[in-house]
Amino acid sequence: MDLWIATGNKGKLEEYKLTLNKYPTVRLFSQADLPSFTPRPENGATFLDNARIKTKSVKAMKAAEYVLGEDSGLEVEGLNNLPGVHSARYAGPHARDSENVAKLLKMMQIRNVATRAAQFKCTTVVYTPENEEWIFESVMKGTISPKVSGLMGFGYDPVFIPEGETQTLAELGPGYKIQKSHRALALNQFINKLKEKNPEIFS
Ligand code: ITT
């Protein structure tokens, strides 16, 4: 089967590839493989709204295929769950990951937050070739480190310490993320549903 991933984020795509490359019958593509693709503005109020916007934008060009897209973000308890849906652009419309992380640490310092608890959320939307909509939601809980550590991953990985761990995701690396991350948990729900519907894909 062909599976189209509606993302322009190379870090996300690498994580999908690491898991899905185990299945030789699944051929993976992303919006970068569509020369005339233009992303639509992610102006939804919720993760689900934005996940639908992204997934529909690729589905409009690949109606006969499975298309998967997701919206994810970091919710920090001491910042009233910000940056949330604004995670990718927390420090400005074209902010780099390092700028978003710096803003996060600065805001936590300014607000003198009492708790460093945080969670990554991921809402994944899949449109099937029959145009059914499947929704998968998942969370990874943890804390925000007061300083940046590690070189792997993307986004807020250098400051996010998963529950039960002492290192950041950027230190734990992709092998850890594809087992335990918010994105991996949603992807596994999708794979299980696909296995129920099309066992031959995985036989
Ligand atoms: P697409 O919309 O093209 O998929 P994006 O980076 O804009 O790419 P989102 O709108 O879903 O994706 O924003 C999610 C942001 O949340 C992302 O840019 C990171 O800053 C952060 N994020 C999400 N998952 C993450 C993860 O696994 N590790 C670190 N940061 C993550």
Side-chain angles (χ1 to χ4, degrees):
M1 68 172 270
D2 288 355
L3 174 62
W4 284 78
I5 308 287
T7 186
N9 181 319
K10 290 188 179 132
K12 288 184 184 179
L13 192 58
E14 280 312 307
E15 292 178 15
Y16 285 116
K17 280 185 183 162
L18 268 181
T19 297
L20 291 164
N21 283 350
K22 285 185 282 196
Y23 303 107
T25 52
V26 179
R27 294 198 308 163
L28 210 59
F29 301 91
S30 81
Q31 62 196 44
D33 299 311
L34 294 169
S36 57
F37 180 80
T38 315
R40 295 179 190 167
E42 286 175 37
N43 48 15
T46 64
F47 290 116
L48 179 58
D49 291 343
N50 284 334
R52 281 180 168 143
I53 290 170
K54 290 179 220 191
T55 315
K56 282 180 182 170
S57 67
V58 173
K59 185 70 175 171
M61 300 177 79
K62 286 284 154 193
E65 311 295 350
Y66 278 95
V67 181
L68 177 154
E70 52 103 318
D71 200 53
S72 47
L74 180 67
E75 295 183 339
V76 178
E77 203 177 301
L79 296 177
N80 295 326
N81 291 336
L82 284 175
V85 291
H86 309 292
S87 293
R89 288 160 291 279
Y90 190 40
H94 305 291
R96 287 193 297 260
D97 286 347
S98 57
E99 294 169 321
N100 287 329
V101 168
K103 177 167 179 186
L104 179 74
L105 294 181
K106 194 169 159 199
M107 293 305 287
M108 292 183 74
Q109 198 181 19
I110 292 170
R111 298 274 164 84
N112 198 14
V113 295
T115 166
R116 303 196 73 85
Q119 60 182 11
F120 275 118
K121 268 194 178 168
C122 177
T123 299
T124 298
V125 169
V126 174
Y127 292 113
T128 70
E130 300 78 26
N131 213 24
E132 285 170 44
E133 181 184 69
W134 298 349
I135 298 171
F136 307 100
E137 298 196 304
S138 53
V139 164
M140 176 167 52
K141 290 183 182 294
T143 53
I144 302 300
S145 166
K147 65 176 178 50
V148 169
S149 315
L151 296 172
M152 293 180 277
F154 68 95
Y156 299 89
D157 284 348
V159 288
F160 188 87
I161 302 176
E163 215 167 60
E165 305 295 342
T166 55
Q167 293 180 299
T168 67
L169 284 173
E171 295 173 299
L172 292 164
Y176 182 90
K177 285 190 80 180
I178 64 164
Q179 299 293 327
K180 308 247 180 156
S181 81
H182 48 307
R183 180 166 306 99
L185 298 176
L187 178 60
N188 287 336
Q189 291 176 47
F190 165 59
I191 291 171
N192 288 338
K193 181 143 181 165
L194 202 54
K195 278 180 179 166
E196 272 171 34
K197 189 180 169 194
N198 302 93
E200 70 282 359
I201 294 176
F202 299 98
S203 59

